[in-house]
Amino acid sequence: DTAMTTPFIPEVLYSNEEFLFVGMGEHGGVKIYAIDSMEEQSWIAEGFSIRDIYWDPLSNLLLLSCGDQGGVIFQLGGNMNVNNSWILTTSYAYAAREYNDHILVSTKNGIEMFVIQ
């Protein structure tokens, strides 16, 4: 067993075979760890309170839903550095997913759809 500490309250987790994504509240952003070593790879989206995380390794897009702050999308490189980013202005964002080159965001006003380029 291993205990990890984060600088802010960890509110949401997402993982796959390679990475653990820890979304923090209180505008703490996301810490990304290598799953095999639990070594920190990156700390991004500082200033955003994370409510939901979705990682698509095929497109290298990290979709973050940030409640009343809307959504944030990061295109990450191989070592989890940021290649590009977009801020989505939405109503309260609960979750986001990529579908057919669109970003769908579940919000308190329904599904909001975006195209990023």
Side-chain angles (χ1 to χ4, degrees):
D1 294 312
T2 301
M4 295 174 60
T5 59
T6 57
F8 299 93
I9 296 171
E11 293 194 2
V12 62
L13 301 173
Y14 186 90
S15 67
N16 64 10
E17 309 81 40
E18 296 182 69
F19 300 103
L20 170 66
F21 301 85
V22 179
M24 297 173 284
E26 303 171 29
H27 308 285
V30 173
K31 283 203 173 226
I32 304 171
Y33 298 89
I35 203 84
D36 57 350
S37 66
M38 288 310 213
E39 188 174 306
E40 182 180 321
Q41 302 296 299
S42 185
W43 185 1
I44 60 175
E46 293 175 76
F48 289 91
S49 298
I50 310 304
R51 303 291 179 240
D52 186 63
I53 298 171
Y54 182 75
W55 166 244
D56 181 2
L58 297 176
S59 65
N60 291 326
L61 291 180
L62 179 64
L63 309 175
L64 305 175
S65 300
C66 305
D68 59 6
Q69 294 176 299
V72 182
I73 301 171
F74 289 96
Q75 185 176 45
L76 301 176
N79 57 355
M80 292 292 141
N81 58 341
V82 176
N83 290 341
N84 209 344
S85 64
W86 301 265
I87 296 176
L88 305 178
T89 303
T90 69
S91 55
Y92 193 99
Y94 297 106
R97 299 294 183 267
E98 182 182 22
Y99 179 73
N100 284 344
D101 298 324
H102 291 81
I103 303 299
L104 304 175
V105 183
S106 172
T107 73
K108 74 178 201 177
N109 291 338
I111 305 296
E112 298 181 28
M113 187 168 38
F114 298 86
V115 176
I116 59 169
Q117 299 176 330

